[in-house]
Amino acid sequence: MSSLQVKSALSQLGRDIQTARKRRRMSVADFCSRIGVSDKTLAKLERGDGGVRLETFAMALLALGMLDRLAEIADPASDSTGIGLDREKLPERIRQRGSLAFMRTGKGTETIPDRQRDASKGSTGLDDDEGTAF
């Protein structure tokens, strides 16, 4: 059971792998030996057949010098939906502050919100008269 979106994405991935192989002028036989599959399996991979093992796709990307892209697919740092959901779990008082920056003052280290720090751009953040943070 597979959705049309999944089939379409796999099909596009297969075509992209085939295009990359051809641009590198790798023959089917050479590519097959590099990734350890038969020509029939390669044909399935390049069609985007969902039955091809993920390891085979990974080996193809490795042979093409593109394996690093596989690691980026579900990178939590680029998961805006997940980051947003995590942020919603934070208490309101923390969400309103935004991220905090730490600043060294005459009286030790204090935290200041981004918006306050950004407003002072280039300033030390010290009040000339009192030697304290804004």
Side-chain angles (χ1 to χ4, degrees):
M1 176 168 24
S2 184
S3 77
L4 184 57
Q5 289 175 315
V6 170
K7 288 180 182 180
S8 177
L10 288 174
S11 179
Q12 183 62 51
L13 177 59
R15 285 192 305 272
D16 292 347
I17 288 173
Q18 182 180 48
T19 300
R21 175 183 62 79
K22 288 180 176 181
R23 283 185 175 168
R24 287 161 178 74
R25 291 164 180 65
M26 293 179 172
S27 68
V28 168
D30 181 41
F31 198 61
C32 286
S33 72
R34 287 178 187 227
I35 65 174
V37 298
S38 69
D39 57 342
K40 289 181 182 181
T41 301
L42 179 60
K44 286 181 181 181
L45 181 141
E46 291 183 344
R47 279 195 314 266
D49 185 312
V52 176
R53 293 180 352 171
L54 180 59
E55 182 181 14
T56 304
F57 278 101
M59 288 299 295
L61 293 173
L62 176 65
L64 295 168
M66 303 166 92
L67 186 61
D68 57 323
R69 294 185 184 184
L70 182 61
E72 297 169 5
I73 289 176
D75 181 8
S78 15
D79 179 12
S80 58
T81 302
I83 291 169
L85 291 170
D86 278 350
R87 185 167 173 74
E88 286 178 9
K89 290 179 186 176
L90 293 172
E92 184 67 30
R93 63 185 166 74
I94 294 176
R95 275 188 274 162
Q96 288 178 346
R97 281 191 205 162
S99 63
L100 296 176
F102 294 91
M103 184 172 126
R104 198 157 209 80
T105 66
K107 295 182 179 182
T109 303
E110 297 182 24
T111 59
I112 58 171
D114 282 344
R115 58 184 171 268
Q116 187 176 356
R117 185 184 74 244
D118 292 343
S120 66
K121 296 246 188 210
S123 159
T124 62
L126 299 176
D127 182 68
D128 291 333
D129 296 331
E130 298 177 23
T132 61
F134 294 131

